[in-house]
């Protein structure tokens, strides 16, 4: 009942903390721990020391301790630390037999516990029970042969006991399990401590087979070298090179081999080893090899040897690049430049053949541009370096056969081939090659090169034929027409040259007609055929009314040495001005008038100067709307426009606006005069206060007319702004809107 009543008791409620503000003094966990340490709250007083005086008390003490150990073991048999403590306590009492029994019981519980075996064996060794210790080690290495610690301890014990044969036997048993490298080194060092070099060599032989790594072969060779067996050491290195072959080659082996030979003063052997390795080791793994080779050549080689090292290194790098990307023609160029500077012709040819074998995969000219230079360099190398013209001709012909001329061609190759044949004094082959080029794939560059060649040979009839073919191929090329006419002019046949120019300007389509006309005009001027020149200008003005043509026409008339040249020039300017009155390009018209003005300033009279000056336009700033690409309003922009006097006369609203501006200026001047008069009157009022009231009564009458006069001015200001903005926006309005606007302005004024 009591328990039931107690169970029904309610748990008292925890009082609510009303004030949740932080306390003024804060206590941290560190402070609590520090106070506990200072007050020594966790320290317990040591148990009282027990003094045993007789055997009975000792037996009671032993019984009590053993009972405690046995109870702990009974509670948890798997905790090995309890067994070890129990055994060590028995050992401290010199109860070795009891301790041995406890260890054996523990091994029955967990025979794979390494610590248990170690403690057991150490106990036997401490008590000089050697046979028992051997028995324990044998059992341990039989059960756990992969625990190296047992083997190390066992061999160490046998060696300390002087049992060398037994120790060697243990090592042999250990090596049968093929342990880690350190175990082999321990065995080798053990044999070396007792001067057993032959046995150490046999151990090394097994070692490099069990652990076939480069460093182990190098250690084996160094072992032989250390004991003075140079031939054996060299044999070890050679066996290592054969063992790894070319599939698993390693630069460290060759570096160690080279250093070994370097110590033996075998420099030629060292050089051969380095070169052999550099030819086979991949570039990414050969950095240390290159470095050591360079250092070796600097120490023991000559200049040629050092250059060979650098060249071989770079060559190796280029080989890797072209293998990775055979269509990287820039890498091929660098590689060829290297081999051309250092190797024989056969090697260079081999590299060139490998390079040109990598034709571009796509038949597009942009992919062939770099590739074609491989052929050009190949041909130039054969011609200039090897001096083999027959092979050079074969290279050019092979290249020309390879290029797909129906899709695209390279004029450079054809021209280089022709120039090569000319250098070989084989002109028919050169002409045949260029003729084939023009027949297969005519190009401007081919025609120009062929014509230039015939010009140098002074074969003018051939040049004429080539120009005719060229113009049949490209009749719109103005430069060709001009060059053809110049050729005829040089040869003194002006009629042919004039006929060529006439044919040229009669073509329906030209790429640069202005250059052609200018050349024709210059030709007639050089021939002093001024009437023909005037006729050309007039024919040109029928086709175009460009301002530069008019100005050039006027300057031509002015340059002729005649009596009426000034009058002719003035007449041309007048005609130009009349013809350009309806021109939309006002800047060009202004340029014409400025040229006319400069002419009159130099040659004209005062009347003519004033006349031209009146024709010059007025520069006006206007505004216009800007429309964005999507059609939305983008605001306003200011621009300058030119108003010519003829245009102003044709538009009456412009005259009206000019009159309104003059009236506004006059009105502003009158307002300024009235303001000055008012200021003077105010000063008089301050001096004569008695007349203040009378002057105030008279002020409205004085201000009335002024105010009355200001209103039209204000009205005009607004009107003027409107008219100026409407004038800037009225580019697309018709004349009717302008007339109505002018009438409205007139009625307001």
């Amino acid at each position: 009942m009591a328990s039931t009543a107690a169970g029904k008791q309610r748990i008292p409620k925890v009082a609510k903390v009303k004030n949740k503000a932080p306390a003024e003094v804060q206590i941290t966990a560190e402070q609590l721990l520090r106070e506990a340490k200072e007050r020594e709250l966790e320290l317990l007083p040591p148990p009282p020391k027990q003094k045993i005086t007789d055997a009975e008390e000792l037996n009671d003490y032993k019984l009590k301790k053993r009972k405690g150990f046995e109870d702990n073991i009974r509670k948890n048999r798997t905790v090995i630390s309890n067994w070890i403590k129990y055994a060590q306590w028995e050992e401290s009492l010199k109860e070795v037999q009891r301790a041995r029994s406890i260890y054996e019981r523990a091994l029955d519980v967990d025979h794979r516990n390494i610590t248990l075996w170690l403690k057991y064996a150490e106990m036997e060794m401490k008590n000089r029970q050697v046979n028992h210790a051997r028995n324990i080690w044998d059992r341990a290495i039989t059960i756990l042969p992969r625990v190296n610690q047992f083997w190390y301890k066992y061999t160490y014990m046998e060696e300390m006991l002087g049992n060398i044969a037994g120790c060697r036997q243990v090592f042999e048993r250990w090596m049968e399990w093929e342990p880690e490298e350190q175990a082999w080194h321990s065995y080798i060092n053990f044999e070396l401590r007792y001067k057993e070099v032959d046995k150490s060599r046999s151990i090394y032989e097994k070692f490099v087979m069990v652990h076939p790594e480069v460093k182990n072969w190098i250690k084996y060779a160094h072992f032989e070298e250390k004991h003075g067996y140079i031939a054996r050491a060299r044999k070890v290195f050679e066996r290592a090179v054969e063992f790894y072959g070319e599939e698993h080659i390693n630069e460290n082996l060759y570096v160690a081999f080279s250093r070994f030979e370097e110590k033996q003063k075998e420099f030629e052997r060292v050089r051969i080893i380095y070169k052999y390795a550099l030819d086979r080791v991949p570039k990414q793994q050969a950095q240390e090899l290159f470095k050591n080779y360079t250092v070796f050549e600097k120490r023991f080689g000559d200049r040629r040897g050092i250059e060979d090292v650098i060249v071989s290194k770079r060559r190796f790098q280029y080989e890797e690049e072209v293998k990775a990307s055979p269509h990287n023609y820039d890498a091929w160029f660098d590689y060829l430049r290297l081999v051309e500077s250092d190797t024989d012709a056969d090697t260079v040819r081999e590299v060139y053949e490998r390079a040109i074998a990598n034709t571009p995969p796509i038949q597009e000219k942009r992919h062939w541009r770099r590739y074609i230079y491989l052929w050009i360099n190949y041909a130039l190398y054969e011609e200039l370096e090897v001096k083999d013209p027959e092979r050079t001709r074969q290279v050019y012909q092979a290249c020309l056969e390879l290029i797909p001329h129906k899709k695209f061609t390279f004029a450079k190759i054809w021209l280089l081939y022709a120039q090569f044949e000319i250098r070989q004094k084989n002109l028919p082959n050169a002409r045949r090659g260029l003729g084939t080029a023009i027949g297969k794939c005519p190009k401007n560059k081919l025609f120009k090169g062929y014509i230039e060649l015939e010009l140098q040979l002074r074969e003018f009839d051939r040049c004429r034929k080539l120009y005719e073919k060229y113009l049949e191929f490209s009749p719109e090329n103005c430069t060709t027409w001009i060059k053809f006419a110049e050729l005829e002019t040089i040869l003194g046949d002006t009629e042919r040259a004039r006929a060529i120019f006439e044919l040229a300007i009669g073509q329906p389509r030209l790429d640069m007609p202005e250059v052609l006309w200018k050349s024709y005009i210059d030709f007639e001027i050089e021939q002093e055929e001024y009437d023909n020149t005037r006729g050309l200008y007039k024919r040109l003005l029928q086709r175009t009314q460009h301002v530069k043509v008019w100005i050039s026409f006027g300057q031509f008339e002015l340059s002729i040495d005649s009596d009426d040249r000034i009058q002719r020039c003035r007449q041309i300017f007048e005609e130009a001005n009349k013809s350009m009155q309806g021109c939309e390009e006002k800047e060009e018209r202004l340029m014409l008038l400025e040229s006319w003005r400069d002419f009159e300033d130099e040659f004209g009279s005062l009347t003519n100067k004033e006349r031209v000056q009146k024709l010059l336009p007025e520069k006006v700033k206007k505004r216009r709307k800007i429309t964005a690409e999507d059609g939305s309003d983008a605001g306003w922009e200011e621009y300058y426009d030119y108003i010519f006097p003829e245009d102003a006369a044709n538009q009456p609203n412009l005259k009206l606006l000019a009159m309104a501006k003059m009236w506004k200026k006059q009105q502003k001047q009158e307002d300024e005069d009235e303001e000055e008069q008012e200021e003077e009157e105010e000063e008089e009022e301050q001096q004569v206060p008695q007349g203040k009231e009378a002057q105030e009564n008279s002020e409205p009458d004085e201000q009335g007319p002024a105010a009355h006069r200001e209103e039209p001015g204000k009205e005009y200001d607004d009107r003027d702004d409107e008219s100026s903005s409407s004038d800037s926006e009225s580019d697309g309005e018709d004349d009717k809107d302008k007339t109505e606007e002018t009438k409205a302005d007139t009625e307001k004024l």
Side-chain angles (χ1 to χ4, degrees):
M1 293 293 294
S3 63
T4 307
K8 290 181 179 180
Q9 286 182 358
R10 292 182 178 179
I11 300 171
K13 292 183 178 181
V14 180
K16 293 183 179 180
V17 180
K18 294 182 179 180
N19 186 8
K20 294 185 179 180
E24 295 180 359
V25 180
Q26 295 290 322
I27 300 174
T28 62
E30 290 82 357
Q31 186 176 354
L32 293 173
L33 292 173
R34 187 170 59 252
E35 289 180 358
K37 178 71 175 175
E38 290 173 354
R39 297 178 185 178
E40 297 182 353
L41 296 177
E42 296 180 358
L43 296 178
L44 298 175
K49 291 184 178 180
Q50 184 179 4
K51 292 183 179 180
I52 298 173
T53 56
D54 55 2
E56 189 176 351
E57 288 181 359
L58 178 61
N59 291 331
D60 292 341
Y61 168 72
K62 288 180 180 180
L63 181 63
K64 183 178 178 183
K65 289 290 289 182
R66 286 185 180 125
K67 187 176 183 301
F69 280 122
E70 292 291 344
D71 290 342
N72 289 336
I73 290 169
R74 196 179 303 111
K75 289 176 185 177
N76 196 345
R77 291 173 57 84
T78 59
V79 180
I80 302 301
S81 59
N82 292 335
W83 292 98
I84 293 173
K85 288 177 184 177
Y86 190 9
Q88 287 176 345
W89 181 77
E90 292 290 357
E91 183 186 359
S92 65
L93 297 177
K94 305 298 181 184
E95 296 284 350
V96 178
Q97 191 61 35
R98 282 180 173 274
R100 191 178 290 123
S101 175
I102 294 165
Y103 276 121
E104 291 293 339
R105 289 168 57 196
L107 288 173
D108 290 340
V109 174
D110 186 7
H111 66 280
R112 303 186 68 83
N113 192 295
I114 298 171
T115 307
L116 195 60
W117 285 104
L118 292 175
K119 295 290 184 182
Y120 191 8
E122 286 176 3
M123 182 199 74
E124 297 291 359
M125 287 190 292
K126 281 181 186 177
N127 293 284
R128 299 180 181 279
Q129 301 292 326
V130 176
N131 290 328
H132 281 285
R134 284 195 182 109
N135 186 20
I136 293 166
W137 288 127
D138 283 332
R139 290 166 60 195
I141 62 177
T142 303
I143 296 171
L144 300 172
R146 292 296 178 186
V147 181
N148 293 327
Q149 201 171 2
F150 295 161
W151 295 100
Y152 284 122
K153 294 270 189 184
Y154 193 5
T155 54
Y156 180 73
M157 183 191 77
E158 293 292 355
E159 189 175 1
M160 289 296 101
L161 293 172
N163 187 8
I164 307 303
C167 182
R168 186 176 288 113
Q169 188 178 3
V170 174
F171 269 120
E172 288 293 337
R173 289 173 60 190
W174 190 8
M175 295 304 115
E176 290 175 1
W177 289 97
E178 297 183 357
E180 61 183 12
E181 296 177 8
Q182 186 57 42
W184 292 91
H185 291 310
S186 299
Y187 189 14
I188 291 167
N189 293 333
F190 163 74
E191 295 292 356
L192 289 177
R193 282 196 293 271
Y194 299 99
K195 312 298 182 184
E196 297 287 348
V197 178
D198 293 335
K199 290 185 178 180
S200 300
R201 185 178 294 114
S202 63
I203 297 168
Y204 262 120
E205 289 289 342
K206 296 177 183 177
F207 176 38
V208 294
M209 293 298 134
V210 173
H211 296 282
E213 296 176 11
V214 173
K215 60 180 181 179
N216 297 331
W217 283 97
I218 294 171
K219 288 178 182 177
Y220 185 14
H222 287 168
F223 159 77
E224 297 288 2
E225 181 186 3
K226 182 179 178 181
H227 291 87
Y229 300 101
I230 305 302
R232 287 179 177 272
R234 186 175 290 117
K235 188 66 176 176
V236 169
F237 277 120
E238 292 172 358
R239 284 175 58 200
V241 172
E242 292 176 3
F243 178 79
Y244 288 106
E246 295 186 2
E247 295 179 359
H248 306 284
I249 198 166
N250 191 294
E251 66 167 345
N252 295 326
L253 177 62
Y254 290 98
V255 170
F257 195 4
S258 303
R259 287 178 179 172
F260 163 74
E261 296 291 356
E262 186 179 335
K263 289 179 184 177
Q264 311 307 320
K265 310 296 183 184
E266 296 285 349
F267 301 128
E268 285 303 320
R269 281 176 172 269
V270 176
R271 194 170 285 110
I272 292 169
I273 292 167
Y274 275 126
K275 289 182 179 180
Y276 177 84
L278 289 173
D279 290 338
R280 288 161 176 80
V281 179
K283 184 188 72 172
Q284 297 82 3
Q285 305 173 10
Q287 300 299 326
E288 190 69 22
L289 197 63
F290 277 120
K291 182 180 176 183
N292 285 278
Y293 189 20
T294 308
V295 172
F296 166 75
E297 289 292 351
K298 286 180 180 179
R299 289 177 61 191
F300 303 105
D302 53 1
R303 182 176 179 179
R304 178 66 182 173
I306 298 171
E307 289 178 356
D308 287 343
V309 175
I310 298 169
V311 168
S312 61
K313 180 178 180 180
R314 290 174 58 194
R315 185 176 179 181
F316 192 76
Q317 293 172 353
Y318 289 137
E319 281 287 349
E320 293 294 325
E321 286 185 26
V322 297
K323 282 180 183 176
S325 178
H327 291 94
N328 182 6
Y329 300 120
D330 291 328
W332 282 109
F333 289 134
D334 295 337
Y335 188 16
L336 288 164
R337 198 179 302 114
L338 175 68
V339 296
E340 282 180 17
S341 63
D342 191 67
T343 54
D344 56 349
D346 292 335
T347 307
V348 177
R349 282 186 184 130
E350 181 188 351
V351 178
Y352 266 118
E353 292 293 337
R354 288 170 55 200
I356 61 178
N358 298 300
T359 55
I362 304 172
Q363 288 191 354
E364 292 182 10
K365 190 167 184 178
R366 60 191 180 92
H367 295 291
W368 285 64
R369 291 186 188 278
R370 296 294 290 163
Y371 169 71
I372 211 69
Y373 277 97
L374 288 171
W375 287 95
I376 294 172
N377 292 346
Y378 189 10
L380 293 175
Y381 173 76
E382 292 288 353
E383 182 185 0
L384 302 176
E385 299 294 333
V386 187
K387 302 191 184 303
D388 189 347
E390 188 58 37
R391 193 173 180 86
T392 307
R393 187 175 291 109
Q394 292 174 5
V395 171
Y396 276 121
Q397 290 173 354
C399 177
L400 292 172
E401 290 174 3
L402 182 66
I403 298 171
H405 299 291
K406 292 183 179 179
K407 295 185 177 180
F408 59 86
T409 189
F410 291 94
K412 184 185 289 293
I413 290 287
W414 292 103
L415 294 173
L416 286 172
Y417 177 44
Q419 291 166 5
F420 160 73
E421 292 292 359
I422 290 170
R423 285 193 296 272
Q424 303 302 318
K425 300 179 181 180
N426 194 346
L427 187 58
N429 275 358
R431 283 178 175 155
R432 192 180 301 115
L434 289 173
T436 306
I438 291 172
K440 280 187 175 180
C441 43
K443 287 185 68 175
N444 291 334
K445 195 172 180 182
L446 281 172
F447 278 109
K448 289 177 183 178
Y450 199 177
I451 290 168
E452 185 180 353
L453 171 65
E454 296 296 352
L455 280 174
Q456 291 174 357
L457 297 172
R458 300 295 186 267
E459 294 285 347
F460 300 117
D461 291 335
R462 287 180 175 273
C463 290
R464 286 193 179 106
K465 290 180 182 178
L466 287 171
Y467 270 122
E468 291 172 4
K469 293 286 185 183
Y470 192 2
L471 292 172
E472 287 176 9
F473 166 68
S474 176
E476 72 277 358
N477 194 335
C478 291
T479 307
T480 310
W481 289 102
I482 294 167
K483 294 287 185 184
F484 193 7
E486 285 178 359
L487 173 65
E488 297 294 350
T489 306
I490 292 168
L491 297 175
D493 198 342
T494 56
E495 290 302 324
R496 284 180 66 93
R498 189 174 287 113
I500 290 166
F501 274 123
E502 287 294 335
L503 283 172
I505 61 176
Q507 295 298 319
R509 188 165 60 92
L510 294 169
D511 56 357
M512 293 186 295
E514 66 279 359
V515 178
L516 180 63
W517 280 95
K518 184 178 181 305
S519 300
Y520 194 6
I521 290 167
D522 292 341
F523 164 74
E524 293 292 358
I525 292 172
E526 286 178 5
Q527 303 300 322
E528 297 183 358
E529 296 287 345
Y530 300 128
D531 293 334
N532 290 345
T533 308
R534 289 190 188 95
L536 282 174
Y537 270 118
K538 290 176 182 177
R539 288 165 64 188
L540 180 57
L541 288 170
Q542 289 175 2
R543 298 192 179 195
T544 177
Q545 291 288 323
H546 200 277
V547 64
K548 290 186 178 181
V549 179
W550 286 106
I551 294 171
S552 176
F553 194 8
Q555 290 173 352
F556 159 71
E557 291 291 357
L558 191 62
S559 65
I560 298 173
D561 190 8
S562 63
D563 297 335
D564 58 345
R565 64 191 184 105
I566 296 174
Q567 186 61 32
R568 281 179 176 275
C569 184
R570 187 177 289 116
Q571 184 180 354
I572 289 167
F573 277 121
E574 289 175 356
E575 291 177 7
N577 189 33
K578 285 179 184 178
S579 66
M580 296 188 71
Q581 281 183 1
C583 181
E584 295 182 0
E585 297 294 333
K586 296 183 178 181
E587 287 83 359
E588 292 186 1
R589 190 175 171 191
L590 175 62
M591 189 188 304
L592 176 68
L593 291 173
E594 287 176 349
S595 300
W596 192 3
R597 181 190 61 190
D598 296 339
F599 162 72
E600 294 293 354
D601 288 342
E602 188 174 354
F603 301 102
S605 61
L606 184 61
T607 307
N608 291 329
K609 291 179 183 177
E610 291 177 355
R611 178 189 168 200
V612 176
Q613 194 68 33
K614 289 178 182 178
L615 293 174
L616 289 172
E618 181 184 357
K619 193 176 183 181
V620 181
K621 184 188 288 186
K622 290 186 178 181
R623 293 192 308 159
R624 61 187 170 197
K625 278 187 178 180
I626 306 173
T627 307
E629 294 179 358
D630 56 354
S632 59
D633 229 358
W636 296 76
E637 71 170 354
E638 291 185 349
Y639 70 99
Y640 287 100
D641 196 9
Y642 298 98
I643 300 174
F644 291 88
E646 295 88 347
D647 299 340
N650 295 332
Q651 297 181 5
N653 60 334
L654 294 176
K655 287 185 177 180
L656 183 62
L657 287 174
M659 292 170 63
K661 286 182 181 178
M662 291 176 62
W663 180 80
K664 181 181 176 183
K665 188 176 181 181
Q666 184 181 358
Q667 189 74 16
K668 189 176 181 182
Q669 185 66 32
E670 290 177 3
D671 292 343
E672 290 177 357
D673 294 341
E674 286 180 4
E675 287 178 1
E676 290 178 0
Q677 187 178 355
E678 287 177 4
E679 289 177 358
E680 290 176 359
E681 288 176 358
E682 287 178 0
E683 290 177 359
E684 289 176 1
E685 284 178 5
Q686 291 178 0
Q687 293 174 1
V688 188
Q690 292 82 6
K692 185 176 181 182
E693 293 179 1
Q695 196 162 356
E696 286 177 357
N697 295 330
S698 64
E699 276 178 5
D701 295 333
E702 292 174 358
Q703 292 176 357
H708 200 63
R709 284 194 299 272
E710 284 177 5
E711 290 305 317
K714 290 181 181 176
E715 228 174 272
Y716 177 71
D717 289 345
D718 299 335
R719 245 191 344 271
D720 186 50
D721 292 341
E722 290 174 5
S723 64
S724 63
S725 63
S726 66
D727 186 45
S728 64
E729 299 169 9
S730 63
D731 295 336
E733 296 182 356
D734 55 1
D735 295 339
K736 185 177 178 181
D737 295 337
K738 293 181 180 178
T739 308
E740 290 176 0
E741 190 175 336
T742 306
K743 288 179 181 179
D745 290 342
T746 308
E747 288 174 4
K748 289 180 181 179
L749 286 171

